[in-house]
Amino acid sequence: MNTELPPGVSIDVYQGRFDYADHSLEIAVANHGRAPLEVVSAEFSSPTFTPAAGYARVPTTVRPGTSTDLKVLLPPAVCAAEPGDPVVAIDFTIEGVAYRVTMTPDDRLGQLPKIAAEDCRGEFVAEVATIEAASGFTETTIDGRPAAELEFTATPTGQGGILTIDTVRGSPLVSLRDPVTGIVGETVPLELDIGSAKGPVPFTLTLIPARCDPHVVQEDKRGTFFTFTVTTRQDTGVIYLGVSDAVRSALYDFVALSCGWDRH
């Protein structure tokens, strides 16, 4: 059994923009040789992401001169894990020759530390409060423009701790209106001290369609995720909060109606 990658075969990992929502990672297998490569099994693991995440759709053929992405679902990061290198374990054959390789892949875009930091930031947020979007929104008109008012609620767990919601940023689908200045833009300050709150803290986002391009809905993967900057006992950074499928669909309809086109 061969335990080293043959010449012309390389492996790295990355998270594409369509992978964020389901917390997945791509194991990219590049085959620059002259014969097909057939993947029999593949899995990703690291001290930070355990247990190992296996690729389910095997066997998979990587044709000569191509690269194939093997999507695996990452487990949540282990925040107390000791540092260590990620590992890809892969079994494959080329022209009947079997390989079983365990290796440290390149982190193509340097994303693994960021994914772990976001996971752990979310864990520290959850210690102090849950933050959820409402199950619906209200359509209105503000300054002659169609708008949607979507309420979020931060509900303390009762454990106390450090948690402030500092700002929120919109998305490719919707911009935000600052209720104080009336300015429509990408980011709105919130400055909510949730760690000191004695009860639920509601706050409302006023959404304005960001673009009247049908492709913004047709190709959307991130338009109904909102980027919150928070401060926790770990650090200051971002978390991403989405909405329910029903609210997502209703927001698509709202943008379509506001822009004067039919998305169906």
Side-chain angles (χ1 to χ4, degrees):
M1 180 75 69
N2 295 278
T3 59
E4 301 290 334
L5 290 179
V9 176
S10 61
I11 295 175
D12 64 358
V13 296
Y14 74 99
Q15 188 177 70
R17 69 187 184 95
F18 295 157
D19 296 322
Y20 181 85
D22 59 3
H23 202 254
S24 59
L25 189 75
E26 305 289 348
I27 303 172
V29 180
N31 178 12
H32 299 295
R34 297 181 178 179
L37 179 158
E38 183 160 300
V39 177
V40 178
S41 69
E43 66 178 23
F44 170 89
S45 66
S46 81
T48 307
F49 298 100
T50 59
Y55 178 66
R57 299 176 64 181
V58 290
T60 292
T61 300
V62 185
R63 294 179 291 105
T66 68
S67 178
T68 297
D69 292 339
L70 313 178
K71 184 190 291 287
V72 297
L73 297 178
L74 282 178
V78 179
C79 301
E82 294 294 325
D85 292 331
V87 172
V88 166
I90 184 168
D91 287 14
F92 60 92
T93 61
I94 299 177
E95 294 186 311
V97 178
Y99 294 81
R100 175 168 292 171
V101 178
T102 300
M103 57 167 292
T104 298
D106 288 335
D107 179 6
R108 182 187 302 182
L109 303 175
Q111 294 167 303
L112 290 175
K114 178 182 177 184
I115 296 169
E118 288 181 6
D119 281 2
C120 294
R121 191 175 302 124
E123 182 176 307
F124 296 139
V125 167
E127 289 177 358
V128 181
T130 59
I131 308 172
E132 296 180 317
S135 59
F137 58 85
T138 302
E139 294 186 36
T140 186
T141 300
I142 298 177
D143 299 331
R145 303 175 67 175
E149 294 185 335
L150 174 63
E151 185 173 281
F152 282 76
T153 302
T155 305
T157 61
Q159 296 184 32
I162 299 171
L163 175 59
T164 61
I165 305 177
D166 306 320
T167 65
V168 60
R169 189 167 72 242
S171 72
L173 185 69
V174 290
S175 299
L176 301 176
R177 181 182 184 274
D178 188 321
V180 176
T181 65
I183 295 173
V184 176
E186 293 184 354
T187 303
V188 168
L190 294 174
E191 299 177 0
L192 301 173
D193 184 356
I194 307 303
S196 300
K198 302 304 182 183
V201 179
F203 57 96
T204 299
L205 304 185
T206 301
L207 316 178
I208 307 292
R211 292 168 47 193
C212 278
D213 175 357
H215 293 288
V216 76
V217 168
Q218 294 167 1
E219 301 175 3
D220 177 63
K221 293 294 182 182
R222 302 284 300 161
T224 53
F225 280 86
F226 296 89
T227 306
F228 290 87
T229 300
V230 298
T231 298
T232 70
R233 65 181 177 87
Q234 171 187 251
D235 61 6
T236 296
V238 300
I239 61 172
Y240 301 93
L241 297 178
V243 298
S244 68
D245 289 343
V247 172
R248 178 183 300 111
S249 180
L251 279 174
Y252 290 160
D253 288 340
F254 161 72
V255 171
L257 182 62
S258 300
C259 293
W261 40 264
D262 185 352
R263 76 179 185 94
H264 297 290

